[in-house]
Amino acid sequence: MNGLVERIGFLAPDWKDLLEILIVAAVVYRVLLVLAGTRAIQMLLGLVVVVAIYAAARVLDLSLVEYLLETVFQFGVIAALVVFQPELRSALAQLGQNRLLRFFSRLEQTAVAEEVVQAVEEMSRGKVGAIIAIEREVGLGEYLETGTPLQARVNDALLLNIFTPYSLLHDGAAVIRGDDIVAAGVILPLTQQPVTDRSLGTRHRAALGLSEETDALVVVVSEETGAITLAHGGRLFRGLSPDELKEMLIEGPPPINPGPRAALAGS
């Protein structure tokens, strides 16, 4: 009896084992949240299928298939880093977010949100197209080189001037860092997701593209309809009122189950 207990004793977990299980489960859960609704989840499912084939090859002793898959796996880590680079950057940014710092920056966020909303509301009434990217945890420095550098305090009048029709900076994005507009006329990356909604123009595609690669909040005003949209995390929150936009800029968009007005990039 004692011998049996000794042999199966390793199955009794101690507090360290439970801690490791909780940590791994939390990491896997966060990764799945980041990948959900993106092209990466399809690639991940494909990887699972390849691993299943490899396991079957080992069980059935299919040496050629096993050798070929082992060769693929040797370079798979590097390939995965390249393919999943946007998702990995987004995941690391989310893990590194500090709620305490966000709490202390609430007053600054509120002041910036009020100025942005005032400008957006005015542009929406006049059907003036605009795209405004608000930097959060992930820096937008790599995109600023495509625009015109500015260093001006955020205010609604300046935003209205930037997006005046036919101005030199009208077609690009204005980028806000902290409480400053740091650049205007910035070219943003277009989304890599298939977009079937033909009502979404270049500004909306650029907003989606930036939201897929960073955690920025990107506000878009439609030139055709004056509708207000917010892009975040590869989703579009469309048809927002000024009050709804202000709340999202301060509190952040809903992380899960965004509701009927939120659309994935492909919808």
Side-chain angles (χ1 to χ4, degrees), residues 225-238:
T225 65
I228 301 172
T229 301
L230 179 70
H232 180 261
R235 295 175 293 171
L236 289 179
F237 297 83
R238 305 173 68 181

Side-chain angles (χ1 to χ4, degrees), residues 154-221:
V154 176
N155 66 79
D156 61 325
L158 179 55
L159 288 172
L160 289 171
N161 285 332
I162 289 174
F163 293 106
T164 298
Y166 307 112
S167 70
L168 295 177
L169 303 178
H170 173 257
D171 289 329
V175 177
I176 295 175
R177 173 182 294 158
D179 58 357
D180 290 333
I181 303 175
V182 294
V186 176
I187 299 174
L188 301 181
L190 299 181
T191 178
Q192 298 301 309
Q193 300 281 3
V195 178
T196 57
D197 190 341
R198 295 186 178 181
S199 67
L200 300 180
T202 303
R203 288 190 180 92
H204 293 86
R205 294 167 187 261
L208 274 174
L210 185 66
S211 72
E212 290 167 357
E213 297 188 7
T214 72
D215 63 343
L217 297 173
V218 191
V219 182
V220 179
V221 179

Side-chain angles (χ1 to χ4, degrees), residues 88-99:
L88 289 173
R89 182 164 59 178
S90 176
L92 292 175
Q94 291 185 27
L95 290 175
Q97 289 178 358
N98 189 312
R99 294 187 178 183

Side-chain angles (χ1 to χ4, degrees), residues 13 27 52 91 123 142 189:
V27 171
M123 289 185 286
E142 62 182 290

Side-chain angles (χ1 to χ4, degrees), residues 7-59:
R7 267 184 279 177
I8 65 174
F10 71 94
L11 295 176
D14 58 16
W15 68 271
K16 291 183 179 180
D17 297 320
L18 294 176
L19 179 61
E20 288 181 342
I21 292 173
L22 289 175
I23 293 174
V24 172
V27 171
V28 171
Y29 175 72
R30 294 295 299 180
V31 169
L32 291 178
L33 280 182
V34 172
L35 296 181
T38 68
R39 58 187 176 131
I41 194 66
Q42 299 176 350
M43 298 179 186
L44 186 61
L45 292 175
L47 180 61
V48 171
V49 172
V50 172
V51 171
I53 294 175
Y54 176 74
R58 294 206 63 175
V59 171

